[in-house]
Amino acid sequence: MESIGEQNGWIRKVWPDLKPPSLSDNTADVDRLIKGLKKALHTENVTVDFSLAGKVSASLRRWNHHVGASVYEEHDGWHLIDISGPPDEQAIHGVALDLGSSTLVLRLIDLETGKRIDETSFHNPQIEIGADILTRIHFATREGGLSRLQEMTIDRLNQEVEMLSRKHGTGLESVVGMSVAGNTTMTHLFLGLDPYWICREPYIPVVNRPGLIPSCELGLNINRGAPVLVSPNVGSYFGGDLIAGILASGMNQQSDISFLVDVGTNAEVVVGNREWLMACAGAAGPALEGGIADMGMMAGPGVIDRVAIDPVTGEFRIGTIQDPGDAKAPQGQRPVGICGSGLIDLAAQLFLAGMIDLRGKFVEAACGDRLEEMDGTRHLVVVPARDSGTGSPLTLSQTDMDGLIRSKAAMYTILTTIANTVNISFSEIGHFY
Amino acid sequence: MESIGEQNGWIRKVWPDLKPPSLSDNTADVDRLIKGLKKALHTENVTVDFSLAGKVSASLRRWNHHVGASVYEEHDGWHLIDISGPPDEQAIHGVALDLGSSTLVLRLIDLETGKRIDETSFHNPQIEIGADILTRIHFATREGGLSRLQEMTIDRLNQEVEMLSRKHGTGLESVVGMSVAGNTTMTHLFLGLDPYWICREPYIPVVNRPGLIPSCELGLNINRGAPVLVSPNVGSYFGGDLIAGILASGMNQQSDISFLVDVGTNAEVVVGNREWLMACAGAAGPALEGGIADMGMMAGPGVIDRVAIDPVTGEFRIGTIQDPGDAKAPQGQRPVGICGSGLIDLAAQLFLAGMIDLRGKFVEAACGDRLEEMDGTRHLVVVPARDSGTGSPLTLSQTDMDGLIRSKAAMYTILTTIANTVNISFSEIGHFY
């Protein structure tokens, strides 16, 4: 994805060679710029949106026809994003957004070098409405609900982009492109499109390929001519996030066969190579995080993401996610819960330490006094109350463990089924993303 | 121009064949419509603007996938204007605007038959700022002046289109296209583009080819997706009105050579055929109307547009333009002035009656008591005070007559010069428009 902004990318800044007008060359301002851009871009098809005509005219005269033009390419040609004078030697920038239902990750990119300048991540502000997607889809049916959901995301994005821009001294006007990848529902909410039919048979989105949308139509405070590339979806349960994942992995350009797995509330699996791709999506059961374990929660400060068990002493070494803004807790905050990665780590360590058996059942002899009977089921104390950030012990119950085992089994079944469907064995898989 | 809206035109209404979605065909709403439109229009390239996505989705479901789509063609494919349900059997309409500096003529057209439904004309509301173009260009440099000029035109157009629509029971939503032709300055003011450099060497417009502009960007109260086709100009003194004139005359498709002349404050002349066209534009002197004669004025109610002189009695028969709203004056109102056509008619009749000689000088013997000495120059009384709508006699002075002769000579010179330049004689001219 780094290559997206390089000078062979679809967004560029060019410096057309423009001759000032004369009595023998009375081409109009806009048409003169178009002529220069055609030459600079080696194309026959350049358009300048009407809304930019006044600015083009004023800029050509102000800068005596020495201007820079940021442009983007769409299948049918090149389009002007903005025009600037020669003193404006700023690079052009883009932002890339991973639009998760839980977490948004925003990256600021130098579009002339393709290099990442900075990145920030934050909870999806729509969580205020509901942590799960169905609650948000339901909320969207209320009067004003859909636009409220869209606003929450756009407002927060505007704040975050502004913070990144201020931090790096790059003006918001210099952000001349954006790319967004999310699942189909998140994408619809981002675009202000009704997700009502996404979760109802036969599960039809409003749009598969939103294409390029001018930033100003979405209320984004970046350059108002900046195109926003919204990753296309293949259906309600196969979103633009997975399309972006395929492109980022490069599996669609390799000769050997790869697996790409994205597991959350739903599991999405893609298998294939540059000649063919097959995908499968479906409910994974409440696989990880908040769903599977009582102490499970979304990744965030104070959440356990690494576990190691000393094979000799049986001591638990717990790693938690540090609040990036809190430098005073270099060792991580006191644990308050566990995320998906932490849970998998924990299960693996418990098995290696002999504290669970092959079926995932707690082994009393190995667990010792970490095992407690609570609410009629056995719990393993991972973090005792005295070390916990919540004041209560963080425990993993046999029920939690059984759920994890079932999820793992479900995923294995999905992968096996897909592999059998396309008649390959796991040993033929070159890459696993 | 009538053919513009026929079903082979660039704006059409089509009824795509759409199958409702199912589990085995989960294409999204917008993409499903695009697929149907591609088939209906026999094209590979159909786009639906993002702003229409929500309406498309709602309409497909509301009308159970039986929808009509108004679309327009641009060089790179077809674009959706609007979508409607099957009960909406209304035709689609277009408006054509002749954007004169004095008079605006607006025509309502049935785009499915190409037939004219109605037409209205009215003074350019910018006359309030100044009758001549230079005054308006100057006014545009004031704070808010440019947008005021644009508003005056757009507001009036909205009123007139609404009146036409109400009169014929055609909704404003059904107006899905507009075409505008005017000189370069009028076009710039219509678009809200600064005309400052149009009248200053080297006379550079902001834009030559404005192309298609969505009506909503101009504040026009017609269908908000309707494309507005603004006739291109070739330069500051060769406007979209002349381009439209060439197309309307068809001279660019004929094998024999034609002359096209548009004379007002400026004279614009085009000569050529389907293989070549040459144009010439320049000040014509104050050719006609308000400029040349004391009693000259813009065409309007009560203005003389026809003159006949009885060769035997020498009686003047005067025809005036009737106020279309005033049915009580079937014979025309009392004359208040004379327009360009009337002036040419008058000169021709005076010559035929022997009242002027070959040089345009009044012949005393033939003019008799119609000739009066006023302010040191001879005047011919065309309408005596008792018959005049102004209370004063309407007269043509020798100075007026000399001016007309000079203008005629100037035009003859232009035509001769052009004919010589391209090495043709007047006898080779097949058509004169």
Side-chain angles (χ1 to χ4, degrees):
Chain A
M1 295 295 274
E2 296 283 20
S3 70
I4 203 172
E6 288 165 11
Q7 269 301 354
N8 58 355
W10 65 282
I11 299 184
R12 298 187 200 169
K13 188 162 193 172
V14 292
W15 302 86
D17 181 23
L18 303 178
K19 304 222 179 336
S22 65
L23 281 176
S24 61
D25 175 10
N26 70 341
T27 303
D29 298 325
V30 170
D31 306 75
R32 183 174 302 271
L33 176 65
I34 288 176
K35 206 169 152 189
L37 288 174
K38 283 182 179 176
K39 214 168 159 189
L41 291 160
H42 308 289
T43 176
E44 271 311 299
N45 196 345
V46 171
T47 62
V48 171
D49 192 77
F50 166 68
S51 60
L52 284 164
K55 185 170 184 184
V56 165
S57 182
S59 300
L60 291 189
R61 288 160 193 292
R62 179 173 174 201
W63 305 111
N64 202 23
H65 293 78
H66 300 294
V67 293
S70 44
V71 291
Y72 72 90
E73 188 177 22
E74 217 182 350
H75 46 79
D76 59 343
W78 288 86
H79 309 268
L80 183 68
I81 299 170
D82 202 1
I83 187 168
S84 60
D88 168 20
E89 294 291 356
Q90 285 178 51
I92 49 171
H93 300 102
V95 284
L97 172 65
D98 177 358
L99 182 64
S101 53
S102 309
T103 306
L104 275 62
V105 184
L106 192 67
R107 190 177 281 186
L108 180 67
I109 293 164
D110 182 323
L111 288 183
E112 289 186 317
T113 62
K115 294 278 184 293
R116 179 201 317 191
I117 296 173
D118 203 348
E119 184 175 295
T120 181
S121 71
F122 44 95
H123 283 165
N124 189 322
Q126 294 169 348
I127 290 172
E128 187 187 319
I129 303 300
D132 65 305
I133 289 188
L134 286 178
T135 308
R136 299 183 210 171
I137 293 181
H138 183 68
F139 184 84
T141 61
R142 290 199 207 170
E143 176 83 29
L146 179 57
S147 47
R148 172 96 187 91
L149 284 162
Q150 186 188 22
E151 264 172 34
M152 293 174 100
T153 307
I154 300 292
D155 288 353
R156 182 65 189 271
L157 282 172
N158 283 337
Q159 289 169 23
E160 297 289 340
V161 173
E162 200 185 328
M163 280 200 293
L164 283 180
S165 290
R166 201 181 303 141
K167 183 172 162 192
H168 296 278
T170 59
L172 289 172
E173 285 295 297
S174 78
V175 180
V176 293
M178 180 166 180
S179 114
V180 179
N183 71 40
T184 306
T185 301
M186 285 302 108
T187 301
H188 274 54
L189 295 179
F190 174 76
L191 297 174
L193 298 175
D194 191 353
Y196 186 86
W197 293 102
I198 288 180
C199 63
R200 288 169 171 86
E201 203 181 312
Y203 314 108
I204 306 300
V206 171
V207 62
N208 290 136
R209 280 176 286 193
L212 298 178
I213 300 168
S215 68
C216 57
E217 285 192 36
L218 296 171
L220 289 163
N221 285 342
I222 56 178
N223 193 302
R224 55 175 290 116
V228 180
L229 170 65
V230 181
S231 275
N233 65 73
V234 181
S236 289
Y237 292 100
F238 192 102
D241 46 354
L242 211 53
I243 298 284
I246 291 170
L247 291 176
S249 74
M251 65 186 288
N252 59 318
Q253 300 192 325
Q254 290 161 4
S255 55
D256 51 357
I257 297 169
S258 303
F259 257 122
L260 171 71
V261 176
D262 181 10
V263 63
T265 310
N266 285 317
E268 288 143 358
V269 178
V270 184
V271 62
N273 61 11
R274 66 184 173 203
E275 280 159 28
W276 58 275
L277 288 168
M278 204 188 83
C280 161
L288 303 168
E289 299 180 352
I292 207 171
D294 275 353
M295 69 167 169
M297 61 196 306
M298 213 174 283
V303 175
I304 300 169
D305 64 342
R306 284 152 297 143
V307 178
I309 301 176
D310 190 303
V312 179
T313 65
E315 188 197 349
F316 280 42
R317 284 199 299 277
I318 303 292
T320 60
I321 298 171
Q322 196 185 331
D323 185 341
D326 185 4
K328 284 177 289 183
Q331 305 305 317
Q333 300 179 343
R334 290 187 140 201
V336 293
I338 194 165
C339 70
S341 310
L343 202 57
I344 290 174
D345 230 21
L346 176 60
Q349 291 289 318
L350 288 175
F351 181 68
L352 291 174
M355 295 169 78
I356 54 172
D357 62 18
L358 204 59
R359 297 166 306 142
K361 299 298 175 193
F362 291 127
V363 178
E364 278 192 42
C367 292
D369 56 5
R370 282 190 178 268
L371 218 51
E372 288 182 11
E373 186 83 14
M374 292 160 70
D375 305 325
T377 180
R378 294 190 301 173
H379 282 243
L380 180 87
V381 177
V382 179
V383 180
R386 66 175 179 276
D387 296 332
S388 156
T390 65
S392 306
L394 301 181
T395 67
L396 182 74
S397 72
Q398 186 62 60
T399 314
D400 295 341
M401 198 60 226
D402 292 350
L404 179 61
I405 292 287
R406 276 198 300 272
S407 288
K408 188 261 180 189
M411 178 53 65
Y412 187 80
T413 308
I414 291 174
L415 297 180
T416 307
T417 305
I418 291 185
N420 288 344
T421 304
V422 296
N423 200 24
I424 55 170
S425 69
F426 286 164
S427 63
E428 293 174 71
I429 301 298
H431 303 273
F432 196 96
Y433 299 105
Chain B
M1 296 293 274
E2 297 283 21
S3 70
I4 203 172
E6 289 165 11
Q7 269 300 354
N8 58 355
W10 66 281
I11 299 184
R12 299 186 199 169
K13 188 162 192 171
V14 292
W15 302 85
D17 181 23
L18 303 178
K19 304 221 179 338
S22 65
L23 281 175
S24 61
D25 175 11
N26 71 340
T27 303
D29 298 326
V30 170
D31 306 75
R32 182 174 301 271
L33 176 66
I34 288 175
K35 206 170 153 188
L37 288 175
K38 282 182 178 175
K39 215 169 159 187
L41 291 160
H42 308 290
T43 175
E44 272 311 300
N45 197 345
V46 171
T47 62
V48 171
D49 192 77
F50 166 68
S51 60
L52 284 164
K55 185 171 184 183
V56 165
S57 182
S59 300
L60 290 189
R61 289 160 192 291
R62 179 173 174 201
W63 305 111
N64 201 23
H65 293 78
H66 299 295
V67 292
S70 43
V71 291
Y72 72 90
E73 189 177 22
E74 217 181 349
H75 46 79
D76 58 343
W78 289 86
H79 308 269
L80 183 69
I81 299 170
D82 202 1
I83 186 168
S84 60
D88 169 20
E89 293 292 357
Q90 285 178 51
I92 49 171
H93 300 102
V95 284
L97 172 66
D98 177 358
L99 183 64
S101 53
S102 309
T103 307
L104 274 62
V105 184
L106 192 67
R107 190 177 282 187
L108 180 66
I109 292 164
D110 182 323
L111 287 183
E112 288 186 318
T113 62
K115 294 278 184 293
R116 179 201 316 190
I117 297 173
D118 203 348
E119 185 174 294
T120 181
S121 71
F122 44 94
H123 284 165
N124 189 322
Q126 293 169 348
I127 290 173
E128 188 187 319
I129 303 299
D132 65 305
I133 290 188
L134 286 178
T135 309
R136 299 183 210 171
I137 292 181
H138 184 68
F139 184 84
T141 60
R142 290 199 207 170
E143 176 83 28
L146 180 57
S147 47
R148 171 97 186 90
L149 285 162
Q150 187 188 22
E151 264 172 33
M152 294 175 99
T153 306
I154 300 291
D155 288 353
R156 182 65 188 270
L157 282 172
N158 283 336
Q159 289 168 24
E160 297 289 339
V161 173
E162 200 184 329
M163 280 200 293
L164 283 180
S165 290
R166 202 182 302 141
K167 183 172 162 192
H168 296 278
T170 59
L172 289 172
E173 285 294 297
S174 78
V175 180
V176 293
M178 181 166 180
S179 115
V180 179
N183 71 39
T184 306
T185 302
M186 285 302 108
T187 302
H188 274 55
L189 296 179
F190 174 77
L191 297 174
L193 298 175
D194 191 354
Y196 186 87
W197 293 102
I198 288 180
C199 63
R200 288 169 171 85
E201 202 180 315
Y203 314 109
I204 305 300
V206 170
V207 62
N208 290 136
R209 281 177 286 193
L212 298 178
I213 300 168
S215 68
C216 57
E217 284 192 36
L218 296 171
L220 289 163
N221 284 342
I222 56 178
N223 193 302
R224 55 175 291 117
V228 180
L229 170 65
V230 181
S231 275
N233 65 72
V234 181
S236 289
Y237 293 100
F238 192 102
D241 46 354
L242 211 54
I243 298 283
I246 291 170
L247 291 176
S249 74
M251 66 186 288
N252 59 319
Q253 300 192 325
Q254 291 162 4
S255 55
D256 51 356
I257 296 169
S258 304
F259 256 123
L260 171 71
V261 176
D262 180 10
V263 63
T265 311
N266 285 317
E268 288 143 359
V269 178
V270 184
V271 61
N273 60 12
R274 66 184 173 203
E275 280 159 28
W276 58 275
L277 288 168
M278 204 188 84
C280 161
L288 303 168
E289 299 179 353
I292 207 172
D294 275 353
M295 68 166 169
M297 62 197 305
M298 213 175 283
V303 175
I304 300 170
D305 64 342
R306 284 153 296 143
V307 178
I309 301 176
D310 189 303
V312 180
T313 65
E315 188 197 350
F316 280 42
R317 282 198 301 276
I318 303 292
T320 60
I321 299 171
Q322 197 185 332
D323 185 340
D326 185 3
K328 285 178 290 183
Q331 305 306 318
Q333 300 178 342
R334 290 186 139 201
V336 293
I338 194 164
C339 70
S341 309
L343 202 57
I344 290 175
D345 231 19
L346 175 60
Q349 291 288 318
L350 288 175
F351 181 68
L352 290 175
M355 294 168 78
I356 54 172
D357 62 18
L358 204 60
R359 298 165 305 143
K361 299 298 175 192
F362 292 127
V363 178
E364 278 193 42
C367 293
D369 56 4
R370 282 192 178 266
L371 216 53
E372 287 182 11
E373 186 81 13
M374 292 161 69
D375 305 326
T377 180
R378 293 189 303 172
H379 281 244
L380 181 86
V381 177
V382 179
V383 179
R386 65 176 180 277
D387 297 331
S388 156
T390 65
S392 307
L394 302 180
T395 67
L396 182 74
S397 71
Q398 186 62 59
T399 314
D400 295 342
M401 198 61 228
D402 292 349
L404 179 62
I405 292 288
R406 277 198 299 273
S407 287
K408 188 260 179 190
M411 179 53 65
Y412 187 81
T413 308
I414 291 174
L415 297 180
T416 307
T417 306
I418 291 185
N420 289 344
T421 304
V422 296
N423 200 24
I424 55 170
S425 69
F426 286 164
S427 62
E428 293 174 72
I429 301 297
H431 303 273
F432 196 95
Y433 299 104

